[in-house]
C-alpha cells in the first residue's frame, strides 16, 4: 500500500476554464511574425479569473507567461488581475472593470469555485477531518446541479457580456479553454494510493479506478457546460451561424494530456515528480514555501461552506491537526505551507506549455484543409442521414462542397445517393449501427464521422452502458479500417422531456473513453458540436442552419486531425 500524507497532499482543481480573447485567426499552421502583425495585433492583454490563471503545479511558469514569449505576443506581458478565490460573478464585477481601455486579448478562468471543487476534493480525495468530511457522491451531485442551474448560466452570460463589451471596442475575440482531466482511470497504478489527510479508523480514501473515473467525468461535464453556454452566447451574437465569426471560441487541451496524467501506466503511485506527469501532487515543487506551517493555525468552529478554496483549506487543515494527534505536516528543515495546496492538481510547467501550444494552434487554424484524398464514411442514425434538413443531406453536402475545392472527397456507405453516400439509419441504436457498419467498412474509409447514441438515450436502452457500447463500435470500425481517423461527435442535446441531462452524462463518459482510445494509440478524436436546443426543429434534429454549423465543426475536426498528421491516403 502506498501512503501519501501531509506534505504531498494538497490540491485545487482551480478553475477549469479559461477564456482567451484575441484579435483574429491566422492561417493554418504555426503563425509567423508577419501573420501576427497583420492578424493578431495585440495592444494590451490581461489575465482574469481564479487560481487556474495564475498558479502552476510546480511553481514555475503558467501558460500566460509562456505565451508572452510566443512570436504573436512579442514579449508583451499580461495584466494579472486574478484572485484564486474568485467566483464567476466576482470576476465580472471586480476584475473586468480594471481592464485597460485598449485591451484586446484576455485570459479568464472561472467556475470551479462556483461548483465547490474544494468541497469535492475534501469529500472524494483528501478526507481532511475524517467522518466529519463531506460525502463524495453528494458533492458530485451538487456540482452537477449547479452546472445545470439557471444561475450558473446567467453568471457565465454576464461575464462574457461584460468582457466582450470591453474587447468589442478593439475588435476582440474570445477563446474559452477547457481543462484536462487529471487521471488515467484504467491503470492499477493508484488503486492502493491514498491522499487522505485523516486516515484514522480505516477512513482512507483511495484513488480507485471508480474514484478516478468519477472525478474525470466531473471535469468533462464541466467542460461540456462551458462549451454549451459559450455556444448559446455565440448563437445570440451571430445569427448567421458562421462559427468562425463567433466572438468566443472554445478550445479543448484535454487530449494533449493523454499518457501524461496522474496514475498513468507504469507510474509509481500518482507519478508525482515525473516530468512526464503533467499534474503536480506536491513532490515536484521548486520555489520556496513562505507561509506559516499548518500547526500554527487556529480554526473557527465551522469552516465557511461557501468560502474560497484557500479559506476552506486553511480552516479544515487546522481542524485536522487539532483532531489528529499523529498527523505531521512539517518536513524536516522546511515548513509545509499553503503554497503546496494551491498548486496540487494544477498543471506543471510542461502541462501549461501543452495548453499554450493548443491555444496557439487553434488561433492559427483556419478552414484551409487541402491536398488530402478523403474517403469519408458518415456513420450513425438519423442525424447522420440528415433527417429534417430541406434536401435530406444534412451536413454532408456542405462538407463535400467546401472540401472538394482543395481536396479529393469521396463518401462511402449503403444509404443515400452518390456522391453524398452515408451509413445513417433513422431510429437505430448503437448496437444496430455497429452491425451494419460492416457493410461499408470494407471500402476502407480513411475518415469516419460518428454521431450515434441519441436513440439509446431517448428509448432508455441500457443507458448506463451506452458509452461503452459506443467504445466497442469504435473498436469494431478500427479493426477493419485500421488506418482510419475516427471523429466522434459529442451528441447534440435533446429538448425532449427528461432527456437533456442524459445527454450531458453520456457525453462526459464518452470523453473519457475517447481519451483511453488515444492512449492505446488509436486515431480517435472528440468533436464539439456548436448546437443548442434552440437549433432543433423537433427536439432532436437540427434544421438546415444547425446542420450547416455541424458541417463547420466536422471540418474543424478534420483540420485538427490533419495538423496531428493523422490523415493518410486511403487504402
Amino acid at each position: 500500500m502506498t501512503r501519501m500524507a501531509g506534505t504531498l497532499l494538497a490540491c485545487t482543481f482551480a478553475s477549469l476554464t479559461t477564456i482567451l480573447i484575441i484579435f483574429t485567426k491566422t492561417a493554418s499552421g504555426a503563425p509567423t511574425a508577419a501573420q501576427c502583425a497583420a492578424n493578431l495585433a495585440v495592444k494590451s492583454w490581461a489575465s482574469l479569473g481564479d487560481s487556474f490563471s495564475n498558479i502552476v503545479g510546480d511553481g514555475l511558469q503558467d501558460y500566460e507567461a509562456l505565451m508572452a514569449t510566443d512570436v504573436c505576443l512579442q514579449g508583451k506581458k499580461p495584466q494579472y488581475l486574478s484572485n484564486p478565490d474568485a467566483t464567476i460573478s466576482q470576476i465580472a464585477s471586480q476584475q473586468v472593470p480594471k481592464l485597460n481601455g485598449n485591451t484586446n486579448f484576455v485570459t479568464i478562468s472561472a467556475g470551479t469555485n462556483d461548483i465547490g471543487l474544494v468541497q469535492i476534493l475534501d469529500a472524494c480525495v483528501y478526507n481532511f477531518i475524517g467522518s466529519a468530511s463531506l460525502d463524495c457522491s453528494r458533492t458530485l451531485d451538487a456540482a452537477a446541479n449547479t452546472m445545470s442551474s439557471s444561475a450558473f448560466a446567467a453568471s457565465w452570460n454576464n461575464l462574457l457580456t461584460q468582457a466582450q463589451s470591453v474587447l468589442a471596442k478593439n475588435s476582440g475575440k474570445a477563446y474559452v479553454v477547457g481543462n484536462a482531466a487529471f487521471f488515467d482511470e484504467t491503470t492499477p497504478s493508484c488503486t492502493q494510493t491514498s491522499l487522505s489527510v485523516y486516515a484514522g479508523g480505516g477512513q482512507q480514501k483511495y484513488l480507485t479506478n471508480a474514484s478516478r473515473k468519477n472525478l474525470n467525468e466531473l471535469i468533462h461535464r464541466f467542460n461540456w457546460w462551458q462549451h454549451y453556454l459559450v455556444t448559446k452566447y455565440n448563437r445570440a451574437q451571430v445569427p448567421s451561424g458562421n462559427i468562425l465569426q463567433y466572438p468566443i471560441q472554445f478550445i479543448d487541451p484535454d487530449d494533449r494530456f493523454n499518457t501524461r496524467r496522474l496514475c498513468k501506466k507504469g507510474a509509481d503511485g500518482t507519478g508525482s515528480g515525473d516530468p512526464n506527469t503533467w499534474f503536480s501532487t506536491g513532490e515536484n515543487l521548486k520555489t520556496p514555501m513562505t507561509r506559516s506551517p499548518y500547526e500554527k493555525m487556529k480554526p473557527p468552529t465551522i469552516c465557511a461552506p461557501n468560502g474560497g478554496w484557500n479559506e476552506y483549506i486553511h480552516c479544515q487543515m487546522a481542524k485536522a491537526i487539532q483532531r489528529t494527534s499523529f498527523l505531521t505536516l512539517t518536513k524536516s528543515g522546511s515548513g509545509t505551507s499553503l503554497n503546496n495546496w494551491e498548486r496540487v492538481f494544477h498543471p506543471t510547467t510542461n502541462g501549461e506549455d501543452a495548453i499554450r501550444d493548443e491555444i496557439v494552434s487553434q488561433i492559427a487554424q483556419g478552414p484551409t484543409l487541402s491536398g488530402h484524398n478523403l474517403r469519408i464514411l458518415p456513420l450513425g442514425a438519423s442525424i447522420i442521414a440528415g433527417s429534417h434538413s430541406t434536401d435530406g443531406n444534412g451536413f454532408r453536402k456542405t462538407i463535400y462542397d467546401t472540401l472538394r475545392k482543395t481536396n479529393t472527397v469521396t463518401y462511402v456507405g449503403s444509404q443515400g445517393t452518390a456522391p453524398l453516400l452515408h451509413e445513417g439509419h433513422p431510429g437505430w441504436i448503437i448496437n444496430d449501427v455497429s452491425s451494419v457498419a460492416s457493410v461499408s467498412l470494407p471500402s476502407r474509409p480513411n475518415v469516419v464521422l460518428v454521431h450515434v447514441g441519441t436513440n439509446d438515450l431517448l428509448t432508455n436502452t441500457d443507458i448506463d452502458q451506452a458509452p461503452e457500447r459506443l467504445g466497442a463500435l469504435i473498436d469494431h470500425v478500427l479493426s477493419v479500417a485500421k488506418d482510419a481517423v475516427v471523429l466522434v461527435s459529442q451528441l447534440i442535446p435533446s429538448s425532449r422531456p427528461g432527456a437533456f441531462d442524459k445527454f450531458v452524462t453520456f457525453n462526459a463518459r464518452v470523453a473519457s473513453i475517447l481519451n483511453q482510445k488515444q492512449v492505446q494509440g488509436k486515431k480517435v478524436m472528440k468533436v464539439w458540436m456548436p448546437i443548442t436546443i434552440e437549433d432543433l426543429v423537433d427536439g432532436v434534429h437540427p434544421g438546415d442552419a444547425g446542420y450547416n454549423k455541424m458541417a463547420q465543426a466536422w471540418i474543424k475536426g478534420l483540420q485538427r486531425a490533419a495538423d496531428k498528421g493523422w490523415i493518410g491516403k486511403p487504402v
Side-chain angles (χ1 to χ4, degrees):
M1 178 180 74
T2 301
R3 176 85 176 103
M4 299 182 181
T7 58
L8 82 123
L9 305 186
C11 91
T12 180
F13 285 33
S15 193
L16 305 181
T17 299
T18 298
I19 298 175
L20 188 60
I21 306 217
I22 344 197
F23 186 70
T24 186
K25 287 189 173 186
T26 67
S28 178
T32 66
Q35 288 171 331
C36 291
N39 300 322
L40 195 64
V42 176
K43 300 175 183 177
S44 175
W45 68 295
S47 172
L48 311 182
D50 49 29
S51 60
F52 194 64
S53 66
N54 66 3
I55 292 176
V56 188
D58 55 14
L60 298 178
Q61 286 187 298
D62 55 27
Y63 70 80
E64 290 97 340
L66 292 165
M67 288 187 69
T69 66
D70 189 81
V71 64
C72 288
L73 297 182
Q74 300 179 348
K76 292 184 175 71
K77 295 182 179 180
Q79 177 189 11
Y80 283 106
L81 298 172
S82 303
N83 178 343
D85 293 338
T87 63
I88 299 170
S89 296
Q90 288 168 341
I91 295 166
S93 64
Q94 299 174 15
Q95 297 177 27
V96 172
K98 297 178 182 178
L99 288 173
N100 294 331
N102 62 345
T103 298
N104 65 341
F105 181 105
V106 178
T107 58
I108 305 174
S109 66
T112 54
N113 287 325
D114 296 77
I115 66 172
L117 255 296
V118 66
Q119 286 84 0
I120 292 171
L121 294 175
D122 181 6
C124 302
V125 178
Y126 290 100
N127 196 32
F128 290 121
I129 49 176
S131 59
S133 289
L134 302 172
D135 178 78
C136 182
S137 295
R138 289 181 181 177
T139 57
L140 290 171
D141 289 344
N145 290 337
T146 296
M147 293 179 214
S148 63
S149 69
S150 59
F152 189 74
S155 293
W156 262 108
N157 186 72
N158 179 58
L159 173 57
L160 299 180
T161 300
Q162 295 301 318
Q164 190 62 18
S165 69
V166 175
L167 293 149
K169 301 173 184 177
N170 300 303
S171 301
K173 269 195 173 182
Y175 286 73
V176 175
V177 182
N179 198 64
F182 303 116
F183 298 103
D184 186 322
E185 63 190 57
T186 64
T187 65
S189 300
C190 286
T191 55
Q192 292 299 307
T193 296
S194 174
L195 301 181
S196 293
V197 172
Y198 185 83
Q203 295 182 44
Q204 296 100 322
K205 295 180 183 295
Y206 294 98
L207 296 176
T208 63
N209 298 105
S211 174
R212 286 177 267 157
K213 170 179 174 288
N214 289 338
L215 290 169
N216 279 353
E217 289 179 16
L218 172 75
I219 302 310
H220 293 309
R221 180 182 288 266
F222 184 87
N223 284 344
W224 190 93
W225 273 109
Q226 308 316 300
H227 177 266
Y228 188 77
L229 295 175
V230 164
T231 299
K232 285 181 73 72
Y233 180 85
N234 284 328
R235 190 178 188 276
Q237 304 303 310
V238 185
S240 69
N242 184 339
I243 66 174
L244 292 181
Q245 294 179 357
Y246 282 175
I248 301 171
Q249 301 285 331
F250 181 79
I251 293 177
D252 181 6
D254 181 55
D255 65 5
R256 287 184 180 261
F257 282 69
N258 285 330
T259 75
R260 302 290 191 269
R261 305 181 199 275
L262 296 169
C263 304
K264 67 180 189 285
K265 184 178 180 180
D268 179 12
T270 64
S272 177
D274 181 344
N276 291 317
T277 300
W278 287 356
F279 288 104
S280 171
T281 56
E283 291 180 321
N284 52 337
L285 297 179
K286 304 298 183 185
T287 57
M289 304 177 206
T290 58
R291 300 188 186 183
S292 300
Y294 293 123
E295 285 87 344
K296 297 179 181 180
M297 299 177 192
K298 300 298 181 183
T301 303
I302 299 175
C303 298
N306 297 318
W309 114 263
N310 273 330
E311 178 185 353
Y312 187 90
I313 294 294
H314 263 286
C315 179
Q316 292 292 70
M317 287 305 301
K319 289 174 68 176
I321 290 164
Q322 287 192 341
R323 179 174 181 178
T324 311
S325 59
F326 58 82
L327 184 62
T328 299
L329 293 172
T330 302
K331 291 181 179 178
S332 176
S334 65
T336 299
S337 78
L338 281 181
N339 287 2
N340 294 64
W341 293 88
E342 289 174 350
R343 295 173 189 164
V344 176
F345 277 84
H346 286 72
T348 63
T349 298
N350 286 339
E352 298 283 356
D353 201 23
I355 295 172
R356 186 273 305 270
D357 288 346
E358 182 65 22
I359 292 169
V360 171
S361 72
Q362 293 298 305
I363 293 169
Q365 179 177 292
T368 57
L369 190 71
S370 63
H372 292 277
N373 186 348
L374 303 173
R375 189 181 298 162
I376 303 173
L377 170 62
L379 181 64
S382 57
I383 291 173
I384 288 290
S387 295
H388 290 77
S389 60
T390 300
D391 61 6
N393 291 313
F395 56 74
R396 299 190 309 282
K397 188 174 188 302
T398 299
I399 293 176
Y400 183 78
D401 289 345
T402 301
L403 293 183
R404 70 174 181 154
K405 297 174 183 177
T406 54
N407 304 271
T408 300
V409 182
T410 305
Y411 282 115
V412 297
S414 66
Q415 304 297 298
T417 303
L420 304 178
L421 299 174
H422 63 92
E423 205 63 70
H425 298 266
W428 284 23
I429 61 175
I430 296 169
N431 283 348
D432 296 333
V433 172
S434 185
S435 297
V436 80
S438 299
V439 173
S440 297
L441 288 174
S443 298
R444 293 302 297 270
N446 62 344
V447 174
V448 182
L449 309 180
V450 177
H451 184 287
V452 67
T454 299
N455 294 310
D456 297 68
L457 303 186
L458 292 179
T459 60
N460 293 315
T461 302
D462 192 13
I463 292 176
D464 290 344
Q465 291 300 309
E468 279 67 27
R469 292 197 297 276
L470 177 55
L473 168 60
I474 294 167
D475 289 340
H476 174 52
V477 167
L478 291 173
S479 70
V480 179
K482 300 181 185 298
D483 300 319
V485 174
V486 182
L487 300 184
V488 182
S489 168
Q490 292 269 276
L491 284 188
I492 64 175
S494 170
S495 61
R496 296 281 176 87
F500 195 94
D501 191 61
K502 296 177 186 177
F503 282 70
V504 179
T505 300
F506 176 90
N507 285 329
R509 180 64 194 140
V510 166
S512 286
I513 290 174
L514 298 184
N515 281 341
Q516 295 165 23
K517 303 299 181 190
Q518 282 197 19
V519 170
Q520 295 164 5
K522 297 175 180 178
K523 296 185 291 187
V524 179
M525 184 185 297
K526 171 174 75 248
V527 175
W528 294 95
M529 285 297 161
I531 303 295
T532 70
I533 57 174
E534 289 79 13
D535 292 303
L536 308 178
V537 297
D538 64 345
V540 177
H541 302 90
D544 290 342
Y547 278 118
N548 180 58
K549 287 188 279 190
M550 290 186 73
Q552 295 175 64
W554 286 121
I555 292 170
K556 185 176 180 180
L558 282 166
Q559 178 66 64
R560 190 162 185 262
D563 289 345
K564 289 177 176 287
W566 282 6
I567 301 178
K569 295 179 180 179
V571 177

